[in-house]
């Protein structure tokens, strides 16, 4: 019902989203919750379209960089206003194309609005009024910020609007021209977002939508010497591939790469934790957005003297989860993004069946039979070594630890090499401080769930295999899209 209502305010099956020069066949976009339902179509950009986009971007960038930062900011703020006003339509698209639940779709649009406003305000403040530096011999001297040139933004499907517009908004605010390459799974949302920015006043050659397969279109863009920087969010392997592509260029600028990648996020609970709160937060952290958040908890380390109680309560709570149509307000967990993601999770479940104890598999409804649904599961493991790589979906793993093993637990978490989020549940201050000080992650969440980021307040991003930083939605992100010039 909620979805039908949203549809009245703007959603309709999207028309073909073209990638220009149309020699490649159009692909259907199926609703992940019901593969029989075609949401729209899209067409990948071919080599000619990629070349044309690069030429356009090079030609358009200087004038955009000379446009006063305040004017760029005004356009982005107007785009934020438009997005806010059209929230129901964008929410509906998030539900239909990305399988997001209604609350997740609300959060998605709000975060995108916040990113646009945050980078616009920052550009107005720091690009519009160059910093005055003391002159070497009393001369006037100022530090200016400019766009680097052509920025390529390669984004993921799990936050198809918020991460997409965060990257694009920052790159534009800083004075770059932008080629936006959304994930293959969420082209309709990316296209709608680009159209919105054009409507708000971003010139069409300053922001171009170039959809396509990552290994073809993404790779072609990142090895091109005309590209000055890449903002990327996705898997660690792809970040390495982009790094190689940029490093392999024989000419062009030494490019900047801003990469936010995966995680193998843990939650540490000691015996002073409140079990009810712990279970509520573990469920929220592991299964919200069908576990498809970079920040999602995958491993719960729980001290042995409360472990049995916590696992019993976890199983009970999982029985209550409602898996199904994300367009219904009663749904807790929607589908995963596509059948490829589902297959990886099913393979993981098959391996876990041989190696681990199943704590609980949440029930699925009849409604789930036509979509890419994976029933949320929790297993008990003996050690973190049993998880070889990032698992992306509603899968939680529980490991017991003994009081004297806290440092070993922290070392094991650090040894994964990932460093995105960590949750701590404890009511002992020394334990909280010890864990927070030693763990190598970007975001630590204490006595709460471990998902969520608030633009400008609680910026998000990791270290190690989880990314280059700086944190999205934090004060150091926008400057990475810029180059500095002193005028003395
Ligand atoms: P996921 O596993 O979440 O799908 P990916 O890293 O494969 O993550 O995808 C994230 C984004 O990176 C997508 O937009 C995808 O098209 C793009 N991509 C994938 N491979 C490459 C590549 N070799 N070069 C550039 N971009 C790529």
């Amino acid at each position: 019902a909620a979805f039908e209502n949203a549809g009245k305010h703007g959603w309709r099956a999207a028309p073909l989203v073209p990638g220009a020069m149309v020699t490649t066949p159009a692909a259907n976009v199926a609703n992940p919750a019901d593969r029989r339902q075609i949401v729209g179509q899209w067409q990948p950009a071919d080599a000619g379209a990629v070349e044309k986009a690069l030429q356009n971007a090079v030609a358009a960038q200087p004038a955009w960089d000379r446009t006063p930062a305040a004017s760029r900011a005004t356009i982005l703020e107007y785009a934020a206003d438009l997005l806010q006003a059209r929230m129901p339509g964008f929410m509906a698209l998030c539900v239909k194309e990305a399988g997001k639940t209604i609350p997740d779709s609300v959060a998605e649009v709000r975060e995108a609005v916040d990113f646009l406003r945050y980078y616009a305000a920052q550009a107005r403040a720091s690009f519009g009024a160059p910093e005055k530096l003391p002159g070497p011999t009393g001369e006037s001297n100022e530090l200016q910020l400019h766009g680097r040139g052509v920025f390529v933004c390669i984004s993921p499907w799990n936050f198809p609007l918020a991460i997409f517009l965060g990257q694009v908004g920052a790159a534009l605010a800083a004075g770059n021209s932008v080629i936006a390459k959304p994930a293959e799974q969420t082209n309709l949302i990316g296209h709608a977002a680009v159209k919105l920015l054009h409507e708000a006043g971003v010139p069409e050659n300053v922001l171009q939508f170039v959809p396509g397969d990552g290994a073809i279109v993404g790779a072609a863009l990142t090895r091109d010497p005309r590209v000055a920087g890449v903002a990327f969010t996705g898997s660690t392997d792809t970040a390495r591939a982009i790094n190689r592509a940029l490093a392999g260029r024989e000419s062009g600028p030494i490019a900047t790469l801003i990469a936010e990648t995966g995680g193998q996020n843990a939650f540490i609970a000691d015996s002073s934790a409140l079990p009810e709160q712990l279970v509520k937060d573990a469920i929220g952290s592991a299964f919200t957005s069908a576990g498809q958040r970079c920040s999602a908890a995958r491993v719960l380390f729980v001290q042995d003297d409360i472990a049995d109680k916590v696992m019993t309560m976890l199983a009970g709570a999982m029985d209550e989860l409602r898996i199904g149509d994300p367009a219904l307000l009663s749904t807790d967990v929607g589908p995963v993004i596509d059948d490829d993601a589902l297959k990886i999770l099913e393979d993981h479940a098959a391996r876990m069946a041989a190696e681990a104890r199943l704590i609980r598999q949440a029930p699925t409804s009849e409604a789930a039979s036509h979509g890419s649904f994976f029933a949320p599961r929790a297993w008990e493991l003996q050690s973190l070594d049993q998880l070889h790589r990032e698992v992306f979906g509603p899968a939680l793993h529980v490991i017991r630890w003994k009081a004297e093993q806290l440092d070993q637990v922290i070392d094991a978490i650090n040894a994964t090499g990932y460093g995105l989020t960590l949750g701590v549940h404890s009511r002992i201050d020394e334990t909280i401080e010890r864990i927070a000080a030693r763990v190598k992650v970007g975001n630590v969440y204490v006595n709460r769930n471990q998902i969520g980021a608030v633009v400008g307040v609680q910026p998000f991003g990791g270290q190690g295999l989880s990314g280059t930083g700086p944190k999205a939605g934090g004060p150091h992100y926008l400057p990475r899209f810029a180059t500095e010039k002193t005028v003395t």
Side-chain angles (χ1 to χ4, degrees), residues 167-188:
Q167 294 175 335
V168 167
L172 289 172
N176 301 282
S177 57
V178 175
I179 295 178
K181 213 286 307 153
E184 294 86 322
Q185 296 88 340
T186 50
N187 283 302
L188 305 181

Side-chain angles (χ1 to χ4, degrees), residues 22 45 56 92 115 141 152 161 195 328 355 376 378 397 405 420 436 445 452 459:
V22 180
N56 291 342
F115 272 131
N141 191 23
V152 171
L161 197 62
K195 297 282 274 188
L328 298 176
E355 289 182 23
H397 309 82
Q405 291 175 323
L420 201 45
Y445 301 85

Side-chain angles (χ1 to χ4, degrees), residues 3-40:
F3 172 73
E4 293 309 327
N5 210 15
K8 286 196 192 101
H9 293 89
W11 183 83
R12 72 199 108 75
L16 180 72
V17 164
M21 303 221 177
V22 180
T23 52
T24 37
N28 283 335
V29 179
N31 181 341
D34 185 346
R35 298 249 153 247
R36 300 167 303 181
Q37 200 178 18
I38 301 304
V39 186

Side-chain angles (χ1 to χ4, degrees), residues 154-155 157 181-184 214-215 218-219 232-235 238 242:
I154 299 181
S155 49
W157 48 261
K181 213 286 307 153
E184 294 86 322
F232 167 76
T233 302
S235 66
T238 303
I242 293 173

Side-chain angles (χ1 to χ4, degrees), residues 98-164:
K100 291 200 167 237
T101 61
I102 302 273
D104 284 347
S105 300
V106 174
E108 176 84 21
V109 181
R110 286 201 174 137
E111 191 176 356
V113 167
D114 288 349
F115 272 131
L116 290 173
R117 293 209 173 116
Y118 181 72
Y119 297 130
Q122 212 187 341
R124 198 189 288 283
S126 54
F127 288 63
E131 194 179 337
K132 300 289 176 200
L133 300 176
T137 53
E139 301 130 296
S140 77
N141 191 23
E142 68 177 29
L143 182 70
Q144 300 178 354
L145 295 171
H146 292 276
R148 287 178 179 271
V150 177
F151 238 90
V152 171
C153 296
I154 299 181
S155 49
W157 48 261
N158 68 336
F159 286 93
L161 197 62
I163 292 181
F164 182 81

